[in-house]
Amino acid sequence: MHIKRKDKLKILEYKFVYEENIQVVKEFEEGSTDLNYRLSFFRKQLDDTNNQKPLYDTIFHKQVENKIVVIDEDVIVKSAKKSSSSIKPWAKTIYKKIILTTHPDKTKGLTSKNLIDQLTEKYLITQNAYTNEIYSDLIMVAFDLNVDIPESVIDSEITPVCKSKKDLILNTRRMLGWKWYHVPEKQRDAELKKILLNLGF
């Protein structure tokens, strides 16, 4: 497989951003879960007689089917399926080559659990990429497995999605759940108390 150096760098940058996005979303979800738990516990202790709960809910929460959800500045947007239902011919070719190596039926005879896990992960990424027409992910996996990629598609498929993922990472890092994840565990109670006192609770 021969790919120009500049195209290799684009794919490697995309791979880094892809992995960073997974990590940032995981941190956001863990931080949101912890913060939701602490806030819901605090909410139960609020005094109903002086209208604290409505004020508190306006600032922090919205009720969704009896489940309290922290309101953040933005909403994490998952990759949406493209409107076109026809897979591009070059993507079909790449998909078939990747599946020949990564399908669980093909990895049964391998003795290395680590290798099986890596190939299974690439298989799952490929399946999702193919189903949802996320060609950038397909290119990333093909590059890792040394599968031929048409040079003409690298820039058009990688660059815009890479930029979109970078924007998503920046937006997620502005969200309360992500910020809360990075508050050290020992300081979380004190930090929450400080925030609530500043808001008049």
Side-chain angles (χ1 to χ4, degrees):
M1 173 175 69
H2 178 72
I3 298 178
K4 290 179 184 172
R5 186 172 183 273
K6 65 174 186 152
D7 288 334
K8 283 183 184 178
L9 290 174
K10 286 175 187 172
I11 296 170
L12 289 171
E13 180 187 18
Y14 179 79
K15 184 174 180 177
F16 173 78
V17 171
Y18 174 90
E19 290 169 356
E20 185 179 14
N21 184 56
I22 290 172
Q23 181 62 34
V24 166
V25 168
K26 182 178 173 237
E27 290 171 358
F28 164 76
E29 289 171 351
E30 286 182 25
S32 294
T33 299
D34 181 77
L35 183 56
N36 272 320
Y37 171 75
R38 291 169 194 265
L39 287 172
S40 64
F41 180 76
F42 176 78
R43 186 181 184 277
K44 289 175 188 173
Q45 299 175 27
L46 288 175
D47 185 3
D48 278 337
T49 58
N50 60 4
N51 247 1
Q52 283 188 318
K53 280 188 180 177
L55 174 62
Y56 179 84
D57 289 342
T58 302
I59 295 171
F60 286 107
H61 296 95
K62 61 181 175 182
Q63 295 288 341
V64 182
E65 296 174 3
N66 299 323
K67 185 178 176 184
I68 296 174
V69 178
V70 173
I71 298 175
D72 280 297
E73 298 162 33
D74 291 296
V75 176
I76 289 187
V77 180
K78 303 284 184 186
S79 298
K81 187 172 180 176
K82 295 181 182 178
S83 57
S84 170
S85 61
S86 61
I87 306 292
K88 295 179 181 177
W90 64 264
K92 288 181 182 179
T93 303
I94 288 177
Y95 172 78
K96 288 174 186 173
K97 288 179 180 177
I98 293 171
I99 295 304
L100 282 174
T101 308
T102 62
H103 193 282
D105 289 345
K106 302 291 183 183
T107 61
K108 278 183 184 174
L110 298 174
T111 54
S112 168
K113 183 182 178 332
N114 187 36
L115 180 58
I116 291 170
D117 290 346
Q118 286 179 30
L119 291 173
T120 301
E121 181 185 4
K122 291 187 188 318
Y123 172 77
L124 294 172
I125 292 169
T126 301
Q127 287 293 90
N128 182 62
Y130 189 76
T131 302
N132 295 302
E133 300 178 44
I134 308 169
Y135 297 127
S136 51
D137 289 2
L138 206 57
I139 291 169
M140 175 183 70
V141 174
F143 178 77
D144 283 349
L145 296 174
N146 208 26
V147 171
D148 287 332
I149 305 162
E151 212 173 287
S152 60
V153 303
I154 293 172
D155 187 55
S156 63
E157 296 296 340
I158 291 285
T159 302
V161 181
C162 192
K163 183 188 178 321
S164 173
K165 282 191 184 291
K166 285 179 183 177
D167 291 343
L168 183 59
I169 288 167
L170 286 173
N171 287 335
T172 305
R173 285 182 170 155
R174 291 187 188 114
M175 296 168 79
L176 190 55
W178 186 85
K179 290 176 184 176
W180 186 257
Y181 175 86
H182 291 276
V183 174
E185 182 65 38
K186 290 179 181 177
Q187 296 174 20
R188 287 184 178 179
D189 287 339
E191 188 66 25
L192 185 59
K193 185 177 179 181
K194 186 169 76 176
I195 291 167
L196 292 168
L197 283 171
N198 284 341
L199 291 168
F201 293 102

